Amino acid sequence: MTNLVILPILIPLLTGVILLFIPKNIPFQKILSLISGLSLISVNIFLILNILNNGIQTLELGGWQPPFGIVLVGDMLAVLLVTTTSTVSLAVLLFSFYSIGAEREKFYYYPFYQFLITGVIGAFLTGDIFNLFVFFEVMLIASYILIVHGGTKVQLRESFKYVLVNIISSALFVIGVAYLYAVTGTLNMAHLSERIGSLETGAPILTVIAVLFLIVFGLKGALFPLYFWLPASYAAPPSAIAAIFGALLTKVGIYSIFRTYSIVFIHDTGYTHQILAVLAAITMLAGVIGAIAHQDVKKILVYNVIVAVGFVLFGVATLTEAGFMGAIYYLIHDMVIKGALFLMIGAMVVVAGTSHLKEMSGLIKHHPKLGWMFFTATMALVGVPPLSGFIGKLLLVQGGVDSGQYWIVAVMMLTSLLVMYSMIRIFLNGFYGKIILKEADQYGTTKGLLFPCAILVAVSVFLGLGAQALYPLVATAAETLLQPEIYIDAVLKE
């Protein structure tokens, strides 16, 4: 047991509370937020090294032992995602300094940004289903405020749909938790795994509960057909908020499916995981059709968020080592690259004054750094070797072949080509072609906006070129999912 596991939650939480009391002192808010972000990354790197040397780290809050008390669990999967979250959130924070605007900064932007990060990290680190719900709500309440922050007409319109969908999913979440506790008598994930794993034959009620949780997490994670609310909602807020939403929020839903469908609901995989595999394939196709159909650069990218949901969940459905490793690797890659692309799209909109592809052209003349970073990120997204997307997709293909799901592998390959088409279209139409605006006529400047983009592009390049260094960490994370007894032993101390 170590107190270190709680620090990734406490750092943004305490930062957010302090910032609430100094809403008008913007310079201090920025400095404290920056220190908090750097501290968070440092603690998480130390935590990764600790897990690598000493195994899964747990913390029993209040001294109450699981399954009766609240426990935080820092296994390799959770801490890798927490580290990625802290890296992406720091880059988006730097982008916010130059783009979010003085009016939004005065109205508690930075405190609620910290609370959003607290909810995301808490969801990754909690060891029981009920507190997963609690951290979901912390994240969602902060996101409700951020999505309407600034109060533009389009934000208010789209936020209504966003809030309504999430309230419904939260209600279903509570119902699912109640049913699960009524059937198993516990909500601790390690204890659930142990109890459900001891069942002699399939329990139909547990299969129903597993499907209910798939609906809940599918709504939050944008799984087909439950993604309908996402494209307009994520395209409405300013670029910094859209970036943190696109990079992190759907990933919490995906992580929840990943965790529960690898450790808890593994009693009827022939049914539940086949449903998941089919939905993942349809999600890929639905997402990429949306990306091709739109001319708005924000919506093209938002639909590509949905495609990535299908890729990762297909890896979960394979139940193979390669599939799990591919899903973990692709999830980390996607959090980084989607953050980078949202920020770069934001910079394009700042200078062009529009998000419509047909109204922007020739940007590379005055913004070559932005153009080539966008091209590099696009190549990483579609999986051109040796960039980061390639490693994850290669492992996902191997996992699909190992599990015999060849048709979904074919769908994934086709989808990847169409993703490339949708993103290259932005590069060719937006950066090349006739120069529409002279430098003096542009609507804004990229001053301060390129550095955060460069950080995330550099991290993405490292994930590809440095895959050999990351491979043991991903393998350790996948091992815990493939052998739930490792997780159970660490949490229940058996």
Side-chain angles (χ1 to χ4, degrees), residues 206-230:
L206 283 172
T207 303
V208 173
I209 294 171
V211 173
L212 179 58
F213 273 100
L214 182 61
I215 293 170
V216 171
F217 297 141
L219 265 169
K220 296 179 186 298
L223 184 67
F224 178 87
L226 306 169
Y227 68 84
F228 59 90
W229 56 272
L230 186 140

Side-chain angles (χ1 to χ4, degrees), residues 167-223:
I167 287 174
I168 292 170
S169 71
S170 295
L172 291 173
F173 199 162
V174 174
I175 293 169
V177 168
Y179 270 118
L180 191 60
Y181 186 77
V183 173
T184 63
T186 183
L187 293 175
N188 181 282
M189 284 193 258
H191 203 210
L192 278 168
S193 179
E194 193 178 52
R195 288 203 166 177
I196 293 175
S198 66
L199 294 174
E200 293 182 359
T201 56
I205 185 63
L206 283 172
T207 303
V208 173
I209 294 171
V211 173
L212 179 58
F213 273 100
L214 182 61
I215 293 170
V216 171
F217 297 141
L219 265 169
K220 296 179 186 298
L223 184 67

Side-chain angles (χ1 to χ4, degrees), residues 318-331:
T318 63
L319 282 173
T320 63
E321 183 180 8
F324 277 3
M325 287 184 64
I328 295 167
Y329 207 101
Y330 197 85
L331 185 54

Side-chain angles (χ1 to χ4, degrees), residues 307-423:
V307 177
V309 172
F311 285 170
V312 176
L313 293 182
F314 171 54
V316 178
T318 63
L319 282 173
T320 63
E321 183 180 8
F324 277 3
M325 287 184 64
I328 295 167
Y329 207 101
Y330 197 85
L331 185 54
I332 294 169
H333 144 80
D334 195 68
M335 291 166 76
V336 173
I337 208 65
K338 286 288 165 32
L341 284 166
F342 268 104
L343 295 186
M344 283 186 273
I345 290 284
M348 289 173 68
V349 173
V350 165
V351 294
T354 177
S355 61
H356 201 283
L357 195 53
K358 289 187 176 177
E359 296 173 7
M360 60 172 70
S361 179
L363 295 179
I364 205 162
K365 170 72 176 175
H366 303 298
H367 305 283
K369 292 178 184 173
L370 177 62
W372 291 114
M373 277 199 297
F374 186 89
F375 181 76
T376 306
T378 297
M379 293 299 105
L381 176 69
V382 298
V384 173
L387 297 171
S388 55
F390 173 72
I391 312 293
K393 283 186 181 174
L394 184 65
L395 288 166
L396 286 171
V397 169
Q398 186 182 339
V401 171
D402 291 347
S403 62
Q405 305 198 66
Y406 301 106
W407 73 273
I408 302 182
V409 172
V411 169
M412 195 171 76
M413 301 304 288
L414 173 66
T415 306
S416 296
L417 291 174
L418 296 176
V419 166
M420 175 182 274
Y421 169 73
S422 71
M423 296 304 294

